[in-house]
Amino acid sequence: MIRFKAGVPRRAGPRRNHLTLGRTRARARRRQRLRRLLALGLPTAWGAVAITYKLACPLAQQNGLGARIATCAVFFAVGTGLMLHVRRGLLRELRQIHRVAGAAQGVLLRPLPPSVDGLNVAAAQVSADRGARVGGDLYEVIGTEHGVRVVMGDVRGHGLAAIGTVAAVLGSFREAVHDEPELPGVLRKLERAMARHLRERAKAEHPSSGLDPDSPVAEEFVTVLLLEIGRDGEVSALNCGHPWPYLLRADGGAAEATGRERGHVEHLGFGDPLPPLGAFPLPAELPVVRCGPLLPGEALFLYTDGVEDARDSTGRFFPLPAALTEATRTHATSPQEVLGSVFTQLLAHADGLPTDDVALLVLANGRTQVPASHREQVATPL
């Protein structure tokens, strides 16, 4: 006889697990059959009531006004019941589809952690397509052994049609940032992933004749901004046709210690960017832009062009610099507060949802020490 010690759970063997799984599946199948039977049973019952009334009820055989009114009331009730039943079923399926779509979109553009290697992070995204949580904008922040690497991108067009391109670029970025020691290597992999995606779409849309010049695939591209923030706060960038970010400086702190202007919003710009991915081949040389240090108490505000292109009822564009100035004056450089302030002003300006996809990303240096190389000199602007 085999004895088990008290308090030690008995392990189920493979056969026991198999039987338990089989019973669970059988119960699930029975519940599914019951739901189908109920879905068919109620309309059948309503139809049976209508037919029985028409054939067996003496009142239905009369031609008087009262009898006709009663017959109309019965069939109206039957029709109303059937429509409500169909509506309830459609709403149930719609809720299930929304749950599945929300889960898939959450995996594609997953929520960012509040902090990555000492950098405080906040992001928000709104699709221009009603009902879609993910559109043509993309972002990701990943801590690696090479530093914190960031991507911000904007696919041509918006909404559900751009999700495939977003998936291709983000999937490649999440792998390349760990494998490639330099930013140009990451960008090369993004370019190859974009080219593969466009070829596959072209084959799917035109399997016999190849890429049609009038096809949307022939004109699809994505703007990309790649950033690398090292342990010492040094920022490097590669820009493929994307808007340059804003630098937000808080009052006091490291900005004051290094002589930087306090409470200032500065739009960064470093010459002409590279061409967007998919539009033209990248050049043989990819010069990395050295942007300078991101000091403690400073933040970078990244965005897509849907922010600046948002218009109010009079056609006036959204004043992003003024909104950032107001946000930093009220909330310093707290990513969540700055993001919430700008997003609230944007929605109020556009009187609801903008007409284009919008993505915002704030990266604040939450590290407490200023690197020694920047403490003894007046740092150059990013």
Side-chain angles (χ1 to χ4, degrees):
M1 178 182 294
I2 301 176
R3 299 181 181 273
F4 294 90
K5 293 182 180 180
V8 178
R10 183 177 179 179
R11 293 185 178 180
R15 179 177 177 82
R16 186 182 182 90
N17 290 335
H18 179 72
L19 293 176
T20 302
L21 181 60
R23 285 194 291 267
T24 302
R25 290 177 176 175
R27 285 195 296 269
R29 286 194 295 268
R30 285 196 295 270
R31 286 195 297 268
Q32 187 176 9
R33 285 196 296 266
L34 180 60
R35 284 194 296 267
R36 291 177 180 175
L37 182 61
L38 291 176
L40 295 175
L42 187 57
T44 303
W46 279 107
V49 168
I51 295 173
T52 302
Y53 172 81
K54 184 63 178 177
L55 298 179
C57 182
L59 184 61
Q61 310 303 323
Q62 300 178 11
N63 293 324
L65 179 61
R68 291 181 179 179
I69 293 176
T71 301
C72 290
V74 170
F75 279 93
F76 178 77
V78 170
T80 302
L82 289 174
M83 287 189 293
L84 291 176
H85 176 73
V86 172
R87 179 178 180 274
R88 186 161 51 248
L90 292 176
L91 288 177
R92 183 168 56 249
E93 292 183 6
L94 184 60
R95 285 192 294 267
Q96 179 64 20
I97 291 172
H98 279 175
R99 284 194 292 268
V100 174
Q105 293 172 350
V107 172
L108 174 61
L109 197 62
R110 58 195 181 192
L112 297 179
S115 178
V116 178
D117 289 354
L119 298 179
N120 300 324
V121 181
Q125 190 267 351
V126 171
S127 173
D129 280 7
R130 184 178 180 86
R133 297 184 184 179
V134 177
D137 294 344
L138 59 98
Y139 54 77
E140 183 64 283
V141 181
I142 300 178
T144 71
E145 61 180 335
H146 314 294
V148 177
R149 288 178 166 176
V150 184
V151 64
M152 191 76 168
D154 186 0
V155 179
R156 176 185 177 273
H158 59 81
L160 297 176
I163 289 182
T165 306
V166 172
V169 174
L170 281 181
S172 176
F173 175 79
R174 288 165 180 165
E175 289 293 329
V177 290
H178 295 286
D179 298 335
E180 296 294 331
E182 302 293 337
L183 274 186
V186 177
L187 186 58
R188 293 291 183 192
K189 286 197 171 181
L190 297 188
E191 183 187 28
R192 289 194 290 269
M194 182 69 179
R196 284 195 303 269
H197 170 69
L198 294 181
R199 285 197 301 269
E200 292 170 359
R201 279 193 55 187
K203 291 179 181 178
E205 294 181 4
H206 307 279
S208 59
S209 58
L211 181 60
D212 185 351
D214 296 329
S215 170
V217 180
E219 300 179 356
E220 186 162 324
F221 60 85
V222 55
T223 65
V224 170
L225 175 64
L226 286 180
L227 297 181
E228 180 180 289
I229 305 174
R231 300 285 181 180
D232 57 355
E234 285 290 336
V235 181
S236 304
L238 282 173
N239 190 342
C240 294
H242 198 82
W244 287 100
Y246 281 86
L247 175 65
L248 313 179
R249 299 193 185 108
D251 292 339
E256 184 178 13
T258 56
R260 288 191 175 188
E261 185 179 353
R262 298 176 296 169
H264 181 64
V265 174
E266 178 186 350
H267 183 247
L268 307 181
F270 300 96
D272 296 332
L274 299 168
L277 300 182
F280 303 97
L282 292 177
E285 296 294 330
L286 298 177
V288 177
V289 178
R290 305 299 176 182
C291 304
L294 180 68
L295 301 178
E298 296 182 343
L300 289 174
F301 182 89
L302 286 69
Y303 62 100
T304 56
D305 57 8
V307 178
E308 292 183 320
D309 292 343
R311 302 189 183 210
D312 61 9
S313 57
T314 63
R316 186 173 60 95
F317 291 105
F318 178 64
L320 181 57
L324 287 173
T325 301
E326 176 65 24
T328 53
R329 182 165 51 244
T330 307
H331 306 292
T333 55
S334 169
Q336 292 289 351
E337 298 293 343
V338 169
L339 187 70
S341 175
V342 174
F343 206 72
T344 300
Q345 295 180 65
L346 175 64
L347 295 181
H349 178 85
D351 195 21
L353 292 179
T355 57
D356 194 5
D357 296 332
V358 167
L360 310 175
L361 175 62
V362 183
L363 300 164
N365 191 342
R367 299 160 183 164
T368 57
Q369 295 182 352
V370 181
S373 58
H374 309 305
R375 200 179 294 127
E376 298 176 355
Q377 59 183 358
V378 177
T380 59
L382 286 182

